[in-house]
Amino acid sequence: MKQLMNKICNSGNVISLTFCLVVTVIGGCKSLDPTKDLEEVEVGIYGGLGSWDVSVTALSLAVMEAGYEYQEFNEIDVFNNDISRFRMIIMPGGNPQDYSSALGSIGMKRIQNFVKFGGGYFGVGAGASIADMDSLVWGGIGIFNGDSVWPINQIAQYPETVLTEILKTEVDHDVSRGSADKFTTLYRWGPYFVPYHPDNFSTIYNYSITGSPAMVSFTYGSGIVVLTGCQFEIEENDERDGGDFGNNLYDPETEWELINNSIKFCMSDLF
């Protein structure tokens, strides 16, 4: 295969050179080297530019507690297509505009292709906001054929952080099955979700205040996607999330089971 690629790219033929260029743009220069063999890791957590370090730390601890192997990655790993080693990726809380700037059109295309060809995607807060189609201000990854609308001013205006209640809407979904009918959880500028084409789209939890989707799932290509506008990873009254963010707030329960269930679902085989 490697000899074939070299022959094509060195032929001087316009069509062949165009093919070589397309492969390079979509997969990166390293995609021309099929001998590259990355060791598979279950979960990748984005910790690059735009990410919220509190969210990255808490998600890392939640993933470890659930028994999964994980590694952090950044925008350089995305550009180099090194995310191919993961079965799924988690995009944490942060700033979606900074995500868009850091990843650029090439990085977001890399992630889009990762999901299209079978990788799972769990977007939390900003990681859910950046999953939609292009907005008027910045580019989105484009795996959600709809609009992730943020912030939700009825809950809290940017940049406030508050607790809010979510209500289960689908009792037999793999993510919500056996979980509580409602949770009190942290809201930090997250979106609600408006699908353009509701086929293959499930609403798992709604915001109690607005009745709009707070947690959803769907497929993109061969990949499974779960998005939430809430920061389930933050344990307001428990140090197990690795920090003290929100310790002045009282949350009566943990939502880490929803993180665990989302990871299982994103790595499941629906096809």
Side-chain angles (χ1 to χ4, degrees), residues 32-46:
L32 296 179
D33 183 5
T35 63
K36 182 184 179 187
D37 186 20
L38 297 174
E39 182 179 353
E40 183 179 83
V41 179
E42 290 173 314
V43 180
I45 301 176
Y46 180 77

Side-chain angles (χ1 to χ4, degrees), residues 57-258:
T57 297
L59 282 166
S60 300
L61 293 170
V63 169
M64 284 195 298
E65 183 171 298
Y68 297 103
E69 181 187 9
Y70 86 94
Q71 290 179 2
E72 273 191 43
F73 69 97
N74 58 29
E75 64 278 4
I76 303 302
D77 296 310
V78 177
F79 296 148
N80 291 335
N81 213 28
D82 287 342
I83 60 173
S84 61
R85 68 184 185 271
F86 302 122
R87 291 183 61 189
M88 67 166 292
I89 61 174
I90 299 177
M91 293 295 285
N95 188 309
Q97 292 171 290
D98 291 344
Y99 279 171
S100 182
S101 298
L103 294 169
S105 58
I106 292 178
M108 288 187 287
K109 188 65 175 180
R110 294 274 199 276
I111 295 177
Q112 185 186 101
N113 284 339
F114 169 81
V115 180
K116 182 178 180 179
F117 293 105
Y121 183 102
F122 182 33
V124 178
S129 298
I130 195 64
D132 68 0
M133 312 298 285
D134 289 355
S135 75
L136 296 176
V137 181
W138 71 86
I141 294 171
I143 56 176
F144 173 41
N145 189 9
D147 194 8
S148 300
V149 184
W150 72 282
I152 307 173
N153 290 329
Q154 298 97 312
I155 299 177
Q157 294 190 357
Y158 179 89
E160 294 181 20
T161 300
V162 299
L163 291 178
T164 195
E165 188 177 77
I166 58 173
L167 305 175
K168 185 190 294 187
T169 58
E170 189 166 338
V171 297
D172 201 36
H173 193 284
D174 284 5
V175 173
S176 59
R177 187 182 301 119
S179 296
D181 291 336
K182 65 179 180 179
F183 285 99
T184 300
T185 187
L186 191 75
Y187 175 80
R188 182 180 183 269
W189 332 328
Y192 68 89
F193 308 97
V194 181
Y196 296 153
H197 299 287
D199 295 342
N200 197 30
F201 177 90
S202 297
T203 299
I204 306 170
Y205 282 87
N206 279 340
Y207 294 106
S208 176
I209 291 177
T210 63
S212 54
M215 187 179 196
V216 301
S217 73
F218 51 90
T219 57
Y220 178 80
S222 298
I224 301 172
V225 180
V226 176
L227 306 177
T228 178
C230 306
Q231 306 291 161
F232 295 147
E233 72 278 17
I234 304 301
E235 295 282 71
E236 295 81 7
N237 315 119
D238 197 322
E239 295 181 353
R240 69 175 177 156
D241 65 0
D244 58 3
F245 187 88
N247 277 2
N248 60 319
L249 303 172
Y250 176 67
D251 183 357
E253 74 276 297
T254 178
E255 298 85 59
W256 278 22
E257 65 187 81
L258 297 179

